[in-house]
Amino acid sequence: DVTDTLPREGLSSPSYDWFQTESSVTIVVYTKQKNISLDSVIVDLQDDSLRAEAVIKDHSYLVHVGLSHEVQENFSVRVIENVGKIEIVLQKKESVSWQCLGDHLEKHDSFIQKKDTGLYYRRCQLISKEDVTHDTRLFCLMLPPSTHLQVPVGQHVYLKLSVTGADIVKPYTPVSDSLLSDFKEPVLSPNKYIYFLIKIYPAGLFTPELDRLQIGDFISVSGPEGNFKVSKLQEVEDLFLLAAGTGFTPMVTVLNYALSHMSSLRKVKLMFFNKTEDDIIWRCQLEKLALREKRFDVEFVLSAPSPEWNGKQGHISRALLSEFLQRSSENSRAFLCICGPTPFTDEGIRLLHDLNFSDDEIHGFTA
Ligand code: FAD
Ligand code: NAD
């Protein structure tokens, strides 16, 4: 349906222009939108073709050209937020004057719904792999120097591996390398590394293959996807995070963002559901963070605890939630994030509705 791909009313199509100096070529995208940030720009330079995508609400504007001359693999990206301008500065390999920017490639200068752009992958190198629990590991991937990509808070990417000729693709949510790094720094270190907490399922299709990768091997990583937006957290005073198992991953950047960027925040509480104590991801870091940071509390709930466990037990329930969801003041502005196995998330959202939270106050992370 053609009409479906046209920009919705009120969203005017961006445009682009370019200029050069003796040593550089600058491509300027005029987004015609104000609050554009660096994480809404994804740039890849591959074999002298440039693909620059600007994500504007649920649309995507593409500059896609086969460059007329060679450039160096390093480039810089700048966003002038108040006028919604993006600048990509390429360094020429030879200081000759370019007559044109280059050939127009697929979907160049188009402004279409993001869901219709398809996933674009770049090859990233496995830099390190570290055990976090008995079955979950922290993977660090390095983006190519010729890519600018920052995953927005709470969003995921797709990882793709080719196994005996067939591509396998699964979604994963980038995290920061730790919960205890300096919160003054940007939420995710821009450009270079992406970290993932991934549980390996011995009988799974994808994760055993991922686990077999050696340091230095390559894996394809897509651009960011997902409908969580930090604007949902504006003015929020009480933030409640409900996570089960690896459903903890989107909470990592949400928690970092909350503690470093939300001036309205009074309290952020995490209720973390796992089967056993051994399954708890970053337990020690979470406990340290709770000691260090007055605004943060964590509670662990186990569904299959050992007899020694004297903390909370069971699956997500009305009783657990009504005790946990205490506001810092009676009419405070609250927001809830929930993520885990689908039955967990579905049941949680149902219980939250029962407890009179509205859809505007809940974000469920799903596929
Ligand atoms: P699968 O082949 O999908 O199998 C998973 C488990 O189910 C295995 O134990 C397998 O034995 C069992 N199983 C498979 N088929 C059947 C069947 N027919 N009957 C019974 N059991 C079966 N995971 C993370 O670890 N970290 C993340 O950050 C993360 N982010 C995600 C973000 C999103 C948006 C979504 C939707 C999922 C995310 N996941 C994440 C989950 C991830 O995408 C994969 O689903 C997960 O890694 C399992 O993949 P797999 O191919 O190894 O296992
Ligand atoms: P797990 O099997 O270790 O279970 C963790 C906890 O989830 C359990 O202790 C229990 O409290 C709860 N739980 C499990 N099954 C339940 C059920 N049927 N009803 C109610 N509660 C239940 O979890 P895991 O293997 O770490 O799986 C994590 C899940 O989170 C995966 O399905 C993954 O796809 C999903 N996930 C989704 C996203 C996302 O959508 N953005 C991100 C990360 C992970």
Side-chain angles (χ1 to χ4, degrees):
D1 179 3
V2 180
T3 54
D4 197 39
T5 63
L6 292 174
R8 67 163 176 234
E9 264 181 83
L11 204 56
S12 45
S13 180
S15 61
Y16 81 103
D17 201 356
W18 69 284
F19 60 88
Q20 58 187 314
T21 67
E22 208 173 303
S23 60
S24 69
V25 169
T26 299
I27 295 154
V28 186
V29 175
Y30 303 96
T31 66
K32 300 173 189 165
Q33 291 292 315
K34 279 202 171 138
N35 36 35
I36 287 294
S37 56
L38 260 185
D39 63 11
S40 39
V41 187
I42 303 156
V43 185
D44 289 278
L45 198 56
Q46 277 179 18
D47 306 323
D48 288 319
S49 61
L50 176 90
R51 185 185 182 280
E53 184 178 352
V55 179
I56 298 158
K57 303 217 163 81
D58 50 359
H59 281 68
S60 175
Y61 177 73
L62 208 61
V63 171
H64 197 194
V65 284
L67 297 171
S68 63
H69 294 72
E70 288 189 332
V71 293
Q72 295 174 25
E73 64 175 2
N74 283 304
F75 56 83
S76 63
V77 181
R78 215 158 69 95
V79 165
I80 299 105
E81 270 182 50
N82 54 351
V83 286
K85 198 166 86 168
I86 299 164
E87 285 183 354
I88 302 157
V89 185
L90 308 171
Q91 299 302 325
K92 292 179 178 175
K93 269 200 180 155
E94 288 170 77
S95 62
V96 291
S97 179
W98 293 20
Q99 298 305 306
C100 66
L101 187 59
D103 301 330
H104 296 176
L105 301 177
E106 201 191 346
K107 292 186 182 147
H108 171 65
D109 200 22
S110 68
F111 189 48
I112 57 178
Q113 294 225 347
K114 191 164 183 294
K115 65 176 173 58
D116 299 323
T117 52
L119 292 173
Y120 183 81
Y121 292 89
R122 67 284 298 149
R123 279 157 59 76
C124 295
Q125 202 170 17
L126 179 63
I127 295 300
S128 64
K129 185 173 94 171
E130 190 186 294
D131 287 346
V132 173
T133 69
H134 62 100
D135 60 4
T136 301
R137 316 203 202 299
L138 181 69
F139 291 84
C140 175
L141 302 182
M142 186 173 68
L143 286 163
S146 54
T147 292
H148 166 94
L149 186 160
Q150 251 175 288
V151 181
V153 171
Q155 296 200 4
H156 54 271
V157 296
Y158 289 84
L159 298 185
K160 181 167 79 175
L161 277 175
S162 181
V163 179
T164 56
D167 284 343
I168 318 178
V169 171
K170 295 267 162 133
Y172 294 94
T173 313
V175 296
S176 50
D177 62 335
S178 128
L179 287 172
L180 301 167
S181 36
D182 187 356
F183 286 136
K184 299 291 172 285
E185 292 300 309
V187 174
L188 292 170
S189 63
N191 295 336
K192 223 169 144 66
Y193 300 109
I194 310 189
Y195 295 89
F196 298 93
L197 285 165
I198 297 179
K199 180 186 278 198
I200 310 300
Y201 298 89
L205 194 62
F206 186 84
T207 49
E209 295 297 332
L210 178 73
D211 204 28
R212 269 194 277 280
L213 291 184
Q214 303 290 309
I215 305 302
D217 283 353
F218 287 87
I219 179 166
S220 296
V221 179
S222 80
E225 296 278 317
N227 52 15
F228 181 79
K229 292 201 170 56
V230 291
S231 56
K232 295 188 179 204
L233 302 175
Q234 241 164 34
E235 313 290 324
V236 166
E237 297 165 270
D238 286 304
L239 177 62
F240 298 106
L241 309 176
L242 303 169
T246 58
F248 172 61
T249 54
M251 308 306 172
V252 172
T253 50
V254 170
L255 181 57
N256 278 353
Y257 178 84
L259 292 174
S260 58
H261 287 76
M262 280 172 65
S263 53
S264 56
L265 186 80
R266 292 207 207 159
K267 200 89 199 177
V268 48
K269 289 175 71 176
L270 168 70
M271 188 168 251
F272 194 2
F273 296 80
N274 284 280
K275 292 186 295 239
T276 71
E277 281 183 88
D278 291 344
D279 294 317
I280 304 175
I281 296 170
W282 283 353
R283 176 179 182 176
C284 184
Q285 289 193 40
L286 285 163
E287 286 171 340
K288 275 193 187 145
L289 183 63
L291 283 177
R292 180 202 278 191
E293 174 53 77
K294 283 199 304 290
R295 294 172 299 170
F296 175 63
D297 285 342
V298 59
E299 272 187 46
F300 302 109
V301 183
L302 300 183
S303 58
S306 67
E308 295 81 55
W309 176 251
N310 48 26
K312 295 210 152 51
Q313 302 195 10
H315 275 214
I316 193 164
S317 67
R318 191 183 166 112
L320 279 171
L321 289 186
S322 52
E323 191 194 330
F324 176 69
L325 301 170
Q326 299 293 328
R327 295 168 190 249
S328 59
S329 69
E330 201 182 334
N331 290 316
S332 76
R333 194 166 171 139
F335 194 80
L336 296 112
C337 294
I338 180 163
C339 187
T342 306
F344 167 88
T345 307
D346 290 350
E347 174 66 0
I349 292 176
R350 196 185 64 75
L351 292 167
L352 293 172
H353 287 155
D354 279 357
L355 291 165
N356 289 323
F357 287 95
S358 69
D359 280 328
D360 294 343
E361 296 173 304
I362 305 171
H363 183 86
F365 289 88
T366 48

